[in-house]
Amino acid sequence: MSGSVRVDIRQLPHGEGLSLPAYQSADAAGLDLLAAVPEDAPLILAPGKHAMVPTGFAIGLPPGFEAQVRPRSGLAAKHGVTVLNSPGTIDADYRGEINVILINHGEAPFAIRRGERIAQMVIAPVVQAQLMPVVALTSTERGSGGFGSTGR
């Protein structure tokens, strides 16, 4: 299944001059997000520390959709930098700036510079559950076994 959905985007003043989020290949699932930190003041992320990184834009998702903010594999593999609350969820009714909470699990400080690709954003459909109170749940072979009960 492939398709598209209209997502309105508004570039904020501190994001001016940056490219809008973009897919980097024809079959990419995520749009790359760029850091909207000042040109003359990179954000230095010390080992073990986290920070909220602005992207310089806000979006208007249609009802029934969410945006998921996910790590970029290259930053994680090469530098130990990842999205702390992965995946971060942006609800359809949120209209504020998209920010990315990055954490440095690496051993060296990591400089986040203006325009650097810091995360990716995946637009996905959402199904809301209707919770139905019951006295008992249907039984399954697994039952209440969890946390490794089906194997290593």
Side-chain angles (χ1 to χ4, degrees):
M1 179 180 143
S2 180
S4 66
V5 61
R6 177 187 166 135
V7 176
D8 295 336
I9 186 165
R10 182 172 69 92
Q11 201 156 33
L12 303 173
H14 62 282
E16 286 183 17
L18 293 175
S19 298
L20 293 177
Y23 296 103
Q24 298 300 309
S25 70
D27 291 325
L31 299 132
D32 279 351
L33 304 183
L34 308 181
V37 298
E39 187 77 47
D40 59 351
L43 192 158
I44 307 301
L45 196 54
K49 299 298 181 184
H50 65 278
M52 186 107 62
V53 183
T55 63
F57 73 91
I59 59 174
L61 290 166
F65 286 85
E66 68 163 329
Q68 299 172 5
V69 177
R70 300 179 182 180
R72 289 194 62 244
S73 58
L75 284 183
K78 295 175 185 173
H79 306 285
V81 174
T82 191
V83 176
L84 182 59
N85 63 325
S86 181
T89 297
I90 300 158
D91 295 310
D93 57 354
Y94 177 68
R95 294 297 184 266
E97 180 175 12
I98 305 300
N99 287 279
V100 178
I101 306 169
L102 291 181
I103 186 166
N104 183 354
H105 288 300
E107 297 177 9
F110 182 78
I112 300 165
R113 294 179 173 79
R114 183 171 183 82
E116 182 166 9
R117 294 181 297 158
I118 56 168
Q120 56 184 327
M121 180 173 69
V122 174
I123 307 299
V126 171
V127 176
Q128 288 190 336
Q130 293 181 350
L131 300 180
M132 306 299 290
V134 296
V135 175
L137 299 175
T138 58
S139 63
T140 65
E141 187 176 322
R142 180 177 181 174
S144 61
F147 297 101
S149 66
T150 61
R152 257 172 80 132

